[in-house]
Amino acid sequence: MDRHTELRSFVLVAERGSFAAAALVEGVTPVVMGRRLDALEKRLGVKLMHRSTRGLALTELGEQLLDQSRALLREFDELERAVGAGRDLVRGHLVVSAPAAFGRRHVAPHATAFKALHPELRMSFNFTDSVVDLVREGYDMAIRIGEVTDPNYVALRLFPNRRVVCGTPDYFERHGIPRQPEDLARHNCLAFNLAGGQQRGWTFQRDGRLFAVRADGDLACNDGELLYGWVKQGLGVGWRSTWEIQAELKRGELVTVLDEFAVPSYDIQAVYPQQRYLPAKVRRFIEHLKESYNRPGYWEE
């Protein structure tokens, strides 16, 4: 039994005048309250209360301990309140990782508004298409596109997203429309060539099963935004996220193909290390991004 519980029980019994009355406050039985007082007296090696059929009476040492215990418990309660309030304060240094193009377009632009709400906060960003180790490299959180399988991380969906094959209407008029993923072998596929990227192929789904199709073309790079630009120029087809091309799709500048084979979920997710208490700076920034992304018309702007 912890010392805090023993002292609080002692104060309650002294103030209420009986074990039964104190037990009602604590939601336990009078026997439990008696055991707590016994444990406290045994640990201190002194008698704190005289018990008789007529009631309870504090000893001289019990009177002294009562005053000191009240003061200690007040300080403890105030400390708990202060710490609890601190958990909701957005301050300190928030370090965020995100994919390069997505970070520039959909993370960094929200930092100024968030900072205006929380002036005591510092923010740092690292935008890279490499997957970083959040713990080892000192990040509070990351934005990731697609599945997160590491059991040491928590992933929260910010907005639904898919990977689709897309190109300009002019490109498909010149080269034809692929009807099956295997038809991409006859198309100029603009691929992402960062280690661990699309060199394994573009992933599709057929009859509930995932499979990959090799993507070959005359242009490849490790920068998603450059690939996005090549696709818009009509130089080939790309395997792009819906978050990236919504505005162009709405204006008819790009069209998608093979939609029935697209993997259904390739979501935009906030990721942070498993921890008992999530810092307010992380929780609030995630909420801020989610609210922004779910605003009607956001992705078409």
Side-chain angles (χ1 to χ4, degrees), residues 206-249:
R206 179 186 282 137
D207 298 328
R209 294 185 176 182
L210 298 179
F211 65 99
V213 171
R214 185 174 177 81
D216 285 321
D218 58 11
L219 288 170
C221 70
N222 66 349
D223 184 279
E225 198 152 17
L226 181 57
L227 280 174
Y228 165 73
W230 287 342
V231 173
K232 289 199 298 181
Q233 292 174 52
L235 302 179
V237 295
W239 189 51
R240 310 309 302 158
S241 281
T242 52
W243 69 259
E244 190 176 31
I245 61 173
Q246 284 299 327
E248 287 77 8
L249 292 177

Side-chain angles (χ1 to χ4, degrees), residues 2-32:
D2 64 86
R3 297 179 181 184
H4 175 268
T5 301
E6 291 175 357
L7 284 179
R8 188 175 292 279
S9 298
F10 164 67
V11 171
L12 274 173
V13 171
E15 291 178 342
R16 302 287 169 156
S18 72
F19 290 111
L24 286 175
V25 177
E26 287 283 88
V28 297
T29 65
V31 172
V32 170

